[in-house]
Amino acid sequence: MPRYQPADSLASPRFAGVRTFARLPCIQTTEDVDVAVVGLPFDTGATFKVGARFGPEAIRSASVLLRPYNPELDVHVFTTLSCIDYGDAPVVPGFIQESHATIAATLRPLAEARVVTLCLGGDHSVALPELRALAAVHGPLALVQFDSHGDLWDSYYGGQKYTHGTPFRRAVEEGLILPERSVQLGMRGPLYGREDLQMARDMGFTVLTTTELLSRSPHEIGDLVRARTGDGPVFLSFDIDFFDPAYAPGTGTPEVGGPTSFQGLAYLRACTGVRWIGGDVVEVLPALDHGQITAHLAAQVGYEFLSLVALARQGS
Ligand code: MN
Ligand code: MN
């Protein structure tokens, strides 16, 4: 059996105890660990509503409801993988590049130990230090991004290069991700011009708008993701605003007319057979949430990612 497992919710009730992701032990180690969940409580990169710094806390609180067996993927997540909650990376509120440095420094030893990381955001700017830490160890990564926005803008507000709208442009420039192996799913909403979507495609990304995505089955999307990402290491970045705000109201830059939670989870579960080496779920803003709708969905997204990692581990 794996060394680190969640508390047994048949032995102690799920509402009891200190909140960690899925009731996992909170410990800072890389020994006998397959997956580490890491909170990134940072939101200085947000360009509209702020408060995603409280996202990790909210996701952890909702995640105590998760159970160890995933019937949709037929996998026992926590008897396949040894998982821990690593706690939060130290951040410097108000200071983006300093925080990116502390986040990357926190994640780097995990990557070096080949521990898969699941990070809880935080605004989407945190994806950049995640990719810096992982690519330093694994080399350039394929990206699978669920998001209503491409986050490929060059800069904001007179040349500001580091916001939650720019992480993947920086990642391409720094050679951290391979656009020709990367897929962006769910883009929608008003843009500044036709060239905004074309820019991503010109850079080499495969881009499916929400309309294009929903016209295809999860099976087709799984095939597309496997074909694009190939055999190399792959990073999942899941912005909760991928979902329609009816299903994820607690987020800072919502876009209406999106997938339901049922649809989005089905697309994510279809991404089997991929060499996941890290992932995140970001942009959860609890102050705008209602009844923990968004937090529960984000916890489920994280759980599906763990399930995909567990399936891959079973297969190898
Ligand atoms: Mn977004
Ligand atoms: Mn985003």
Side-chain angles (χ1 to χ4, degrees):
M1 294 292 277
R3 178 161 179 186
Y4 297 109
Q5 292 185 279
D8 182 355
S9 295
L10 295 174
S12 70
R14 285 178 282 188
F15 50 81
V18 177
R19 293 289 196 264
T20 60
F21 189 82
R23 310 190 73 199
L24 290 166
C26 185
I27 183 171
Q28 285 78 45
T29 182
T30 59
E31 203 172 315
D32 295 331
V33 175
D34 298 310
V35 182
V37 180
V38 184
L40 305 178
F42 181 74
D43 60 12
T44 302
T47 57
F48 199 55
K49 294 178 182 174
V50 294
R53 66 182 63 179
F54 296 106
E57 171 191 335
I59 297 168
R60 285 187 175 109
S61 183
S63 74
V64 298
L65 208 54
L66 296 168
R67 297 187 184 91
Y69 175 67
N70 185 332
E72 297 290 338
L73 288 170
D74 188 23
V75 64
H76 275 280
V77 179
F78 298 114
T79 49
T80 306
L81 300 172
S82 178
C83 300
I84 60 169
D85 191 321
Y86 199 76
D88 289 348
V91 297
V92 192
F95 298 87
I96 292 184
Q97 294 189 67
E98 291 82 349
S99 296
H100 285 180
T102 58
I103 290 169
T106 300
L107 299 177
R108 179 74 179 264
L110 292 163
E112 283 170 349
R114 297 301 192 273
V115 172
V116 173
T117 46
L118 167 60
C119 289
L120 312 175
D123 74 56
H124 218 157
S125 73
V126 300
L128 182 60
E130 286 182 77
L131 290 166
R132 283 173 177 161
L134 293 166
V137 172
H138 296 276
L141 309 168
L143 170 71
V144 177
Q145 180 189 357
F146 289 74
D147 200 330
S148 64
H149 314 98
D151 298 346
L152 282 168
W153 308 107
D154 180 45
S155 64
Y156 281 62
Y157 316 131
Q160 296 303 323
K161 295 276 191 182
Y162 300 97
T163 78
H164 71 161
T166 63
F168 301 116
R169 172 67 73 100
R170 299 288 89 78
V172 171
E173 291 170 351
E174 295 180 24
L176 310 177
I177 58 174
L178 301 165
E180 65 278 6
R181 291 212 165 273
S182 298
V183 185
Q184 296 187 306
L185 302 170
M187 276 74 245
R188 67 179 179 276
L191 298 169
Y192 296 106
R194 186 177 290 122
E195 62 278 7
D196 289 347
L197 271 176
Q198 191 56 42
M199 168 186 74
R201 291 174 171 139
D202 289 345
M203 291 171 78
F205 289 91
T206 296
V207 181
L208 269 68
T209 65
T210 289
T211 301
E212 291 162 345
L213 177 69
L214 293 180
S215 72
R216 302 191 192 193
S217 70
H219 185 79
E220 288 174 289
I221 294 304
D223 284 344
L224 173 95
V225 166
R226 282 183 288 277
R228 288 292 292 181
T229 57
D231 299 327
V234 186
F235 181 76
L236 173 75
S237 203
F238 204 117
D239 184 329
I240 205 70
D241 70 30
F242 165 85
F243 292 105
D244 190 280
Y247 298 87
T251 196
T253 43
E255 299 288 351
V256 300
T260 67
S261 47
F262 181 87
Q263 289 169 321
L265 292 171
Y267 286 119
L268 177 56
R269 289 180 192 124
C271 298
T272 57
V274 171
R275 188 149 81 80
W276 300 111
I277 52 94
D280 64 25
V281 52
V282 300
E283 297 286 353
V284 173
L285 201 168
L288 297 175
D289 205 2
H290 301 276
Q292 294 181 289
I293 300 172
T294 316
H296 280 294
L297 184 50
Q300 188 72 34
V301 166
Y303 178 75
E304 300 295 346
F305 175 72
L306 296 182
S307 302
L308 292 169
V309 174
L311 267 186
R313 186 62 55 99
Q314 277 184 347
S316 63

